[in-house]
């Protein structure tokens, strides 16, 4: 595949040299050309193209951190073409006006000159910037945060710089300062001392007495035990959590299985279960075998009989015979819930004089009477009986 026309878009290295920044000459700039002091407008619009804008920023830069780097980055980017000179105060002035530092002045010089925003590092910078210093180093602007910096008996050491119109403000990075870093070390001194002892530092190099050394060793052992206890506790907590999850899962499975078993039991032994239907069917078969079922209602029996007793004779009366025997009276009596004695008493009450009864009545299994009773004259019943015989 031909890629000759493809343009590279890889990130390019920084334009500045890979070497650390050079140290500035304390005697000043040796350039013979006349130095025209730039105004803020000229610097911002880049009107003077013959030289860059010379910006000066100073500080102690102890324990060089991101707050220092961000301040120098802002100073470098104040103008389109900036040459940043950083002044680092020496140990004598710093210890006199500020206090003892953690890093020596040479360590602080090297830390600043390896910051990529810095062009020159001025060693043993003055504590207060004078007009002669600005003129000697041909400084156009001084960059620092706008918070009043009280030191050396002054409310603000940059007050005269601000009044001269050569001060440019930068912003501080909140939460990060050398004092904060030192406060962390002092607060956790025992932790860092124990760490250095474990790494092989001698008690004398840490300025520890015999008792403090033993105390720190004891604290280290206690810390190890505490970590082991916390590890065991964490493992126990995880184990308990796993057991709880497993028990909940088992309980859920047991509950589902129990529901299945209960449902199967109800289907087999419930009110409408298969076992009851089987028993009912068996009972019906036994009853049918012992006592055959009655004639069906649509059988050619006498029209008023529903369920005649198994041992009672069945009479077939022709229609012509019924017409020859006029009915004296036909009374319909409901005997669905009467016994034989009650039925006989009711018949005697409703029977007319000279009439007898022929009953095509069915007897139920409980002994009750179903059907109807028909009343004819005695001569008609005798005629029916002789005809059937």
């Amino acid at each position: 595949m031909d890629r000759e026309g493809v343009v590279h878009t890889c990130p390019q290295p920084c334009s500045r040299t890979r070497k650390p920044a050079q140290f500035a000459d304390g005697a000043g700039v040796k350039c013979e050309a006349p130095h025209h002091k730039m105004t803020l407008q000229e610097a911002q619009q880049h009107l003077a193209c013959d030289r860059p804008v010379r910006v000066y920023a100073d500080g102690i830069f102890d324990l060089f951190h991101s707050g220092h780097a961000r301040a120098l980055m802002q100073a470098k980017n104040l103008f389109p073409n900036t040459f940043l000179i950083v002044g680092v105060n020496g140990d004598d002035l710093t210890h006199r006006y500020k206090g003892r530092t953690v890093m020596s002045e040479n360590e602080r010089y090297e830390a600043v000159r390896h910051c990529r925003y810095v062009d020159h590092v001025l060693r043993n910078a003055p504590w207060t910037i004078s007009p002669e210093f600005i003129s000697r180093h041909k400084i156009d602007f001084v960059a620092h945060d706008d918070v009043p910096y009280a030191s050396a008996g002054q409310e603000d050491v940059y007050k005269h710089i601000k009044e001269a119109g050569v001060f440019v403000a930068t912003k501080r990075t909140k939460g990060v300062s050398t004092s904060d870093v030192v406060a962390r070390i002092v607060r956790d001194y025992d932790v860092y001392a124990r760490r250095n002892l474990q790494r092989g530092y001698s008690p004398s190099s840490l300025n520890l007495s015999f008792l403090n050394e033993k105390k720190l060793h004891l604290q280290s052992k206690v810390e190890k035990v505490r970590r082991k206890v916390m590890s065991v506790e964490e493992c126990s907590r995880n184990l308990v959590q796993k057991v709880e999850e497993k028990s909940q899962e088992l309980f859920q499975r047991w509950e589902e299985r129990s529901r299945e078993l209960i449902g199967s039991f109800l289907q087999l032994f419930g009110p409408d279960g298969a076992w009851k239907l089987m028993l009912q069917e068996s009972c019906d078969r036994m009853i049918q075998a012992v006592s055959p079922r009655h004639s069906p209602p649509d059988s050619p029996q006498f029209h008023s009989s529903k369920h005649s007793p198994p041992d009672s004779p069945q009479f077939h009366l022709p229609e012509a015979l019924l017409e020859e025997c006029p009915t004296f009276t036909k009374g319909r009596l409901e005997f669905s819930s009467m016994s034989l004695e009650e039925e006989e008493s009711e018949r005697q009450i409703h029977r007319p004089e000279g009439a007898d009864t022929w009953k095509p009545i069915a007897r139920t299994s409980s002994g009750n009477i179903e059907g109807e009773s028909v009343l004819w004259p005695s001569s008609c019943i005798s005629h029916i009986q002789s005809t059937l015989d």
Side-chain angles (χ1 to χ4, degrees):
M1 185 176 179
D2 187 12
R3 294 183 175 272
E4 292 183 359
V6 179
V7 180
H8 282 284
T9 57
C10 301
Q12 299 299 317
C14 298
S15 59
R16 60 156 300 170
T17 179
R18 298 186 180 182
K19 297 180 180 180
Q22 297 180 357
F23 289 112
D25 190 354
V29 181
K30 298 180 180 180
C31 180
E32 298 279 335
H35 181 75
H36 170 70
K37 176 68 174 64
M38 287 189 189
T39 63
L40 186 60
Q41 183 179 3
E42 291 175 344
Q44 291 175 346
Q45 297 179 2
H46 194 40
L47 298 180
C49 299
D50 57 340
R51 67 174 180 85
V53 182
R54 295 176 63 84
V55 177
Y56 177 79
D58 62 350
I60 300 172
F61 300 105
D62 190 21
L63 298 175
F64 192 85
H65 50 73
S66 62
H68 296 143
R70 290 178 65 87
L72 298 178
M73 179 188 68
Q74 295 179 59
K76 180 69 174 180
N77 292 279
L78 286 173
F79 308 107
N81 187 16
T82 303
F83 186 88
L84 181 59
I85 307 167
V86 179
V88 181
N89 304 120
D91 286 345
D92 293 338
L93 292 176
T94 303
H95 296 168
R96 187 190 309 170
Y97 295 113
K98 186 72 174 181
R100 186 172 182 82
T101 58
V102 178
M103 300 168 63
S104 65
E105 61 179 26
N106 291 326
E107 292 172 341
R108 293 185 283 116
Y109 297 155
E110 290 295 326
V112 173
R113 74 188 292 247
H114 284 83
C115 179
R116 63 178 180 175
Y117 308 113
V118 180
D119 296 300
H120 268 183
V121 174
L122 182 62
R123 293 172 290 189
N124 198 18
W127 196 258
T128 303
I129 302 173
S130 63
E132 293 77 16
F133 178 84
I134 294 176
S135 177
R136 182 169 63 248
H137 291 280
K138 297 183 179 181
I139 297 172
D140 294 310
F141 297 98
V142 176
H144 200 273
D145 61 83
D146 201 16
V147 179
Y149 193 84
S151 180
Q154 302 179 26
E155 295 181 358
D156 187 3
V157 295
Y158 296 98
K159 182 178 180 181
H160 63 286
I161 303 297
K162 296 176 182 178
E163 293 175 351
V166 296
F167 182 85
V168 183
T170 58
K171 294 183 180 179
R172 292 177 63 91
T173 302
K174 294 183 179 179
V176 180
S177 67
T178 302
S179 299
D180 294 335
V181 176
V182 173
R184 296 177 200 172
I185 298 174
V186 173
R187 180 189 60 195
D188 301 327
Y189 169 76
D190 290 347
V191 176
Y192 297 122
R194 292 200 307 269
R195 182 192 67 172
N196 286 359
L197 284 175
Q198 293 173 359
R199 293 184 178 183
Y201 282 82
S202 63
S204 59
S205 63
L206 299 176
N207 196 24
L208 293 175
S209 63
F210 177 79
L211 292 178
N212 287 335
E213 178 189 358
K214 298 303 179 183
K215 182 188 73 172
L216 293 178
H217 280 301
L218 179 60
Q219 289 178 353
S220 298
K221 293 181 180 179
V222 171
E223 183 67 20
K224 288 182 179 179
V225 173
R226 189 180 69 87
R227 284 198 297 266
K228 288 183 180 179
V229 171
M230 291 181 62
S231 177
V232 172
E233 184 180 357
E234 184 68 21
C235 294
S236 302
R237 189 182 299 108
N238 294 335
L239 178 61
V240 171
Q241 184 177 0
K242 290 181 180 179
V243 170
E244 289 179 355
E245 293 176 356
K246 193 66 176 179
S247 61
Q248 291 178 0
E249 182 179 356
L250 292 176
F251 180 78
Q252 185 176 1
R253 290 183 181 178
W254 176 82
E255 187 177 6
E256 293 176 356
R257 185 61 180 168
S258 300
R259 291 178 180 176
E260 294 178 0
L261 292 175
I262 293 173
S264 301
F265 181 82
L266 292 177
Q267 289 180 358
L268 186 61
F269 299 102
D272 299 326
W275 184 254
K276 182 178 181 181
L277 296 177
M278 293 171 60
L279 290 177
Q280 185 66 34
E281 185 177 356
S282 300
C283 291
D284 292 343
R285 289 179 181 177
M286 293 176 62
I287 292 174
Q288 183 178 2
V290 175
S291 176
R293 64 178 61 181
H294 304 152
S295 300
D298 54 351
S299 62
Q301 304 293 341
F302 187 76
H303 65 282
S304 62
S305 177
K306 292 183 180 179
H307 301 285
S308 300
D311 55 350
S312 61
Q314 304 296 327
F315 298 102
H316 300 271
L317 300 179
E319 294 292 337
L321 181 60
L322 292 176
E323 292 178 358
E324 293 179 1
C325 183
T327 303
F328 178 77
T329 179
K330 182 184 293 185
R332 296 187 177 214
L333 303 176
E334 298 295 333
F335 301 115
S336 60
S337 61
M338 291 186 180
S339 62
L340 292 176
E341 291 79 7
E342 293 174 343
E343 186 268 337
E344 182 64 27
S345 174
E346 192 71 20
R347 184 182 295 111
Q348 294 296 332
I349 295 174
H350 293 280
R351 186 189 331 191
E353 185 178 355
D356 202 351
T357 305
W358 179 74
K359 312 181 292 299
I361 299 173
R363 180 181 301 173
T364 63
S365 60
S366 62
N368 295 332
I369 304 299
E370 292 182 355
E372 59 184 17
S373 180
V374 183
L375 304 180
W376 277 286
S378 301
S379 58
C380 184
I381 290 180
S382 300
H383 178 61
I384 293 172
Q385 190 66 38
S386 62
T387 301
L388 292 175
D389 294 339

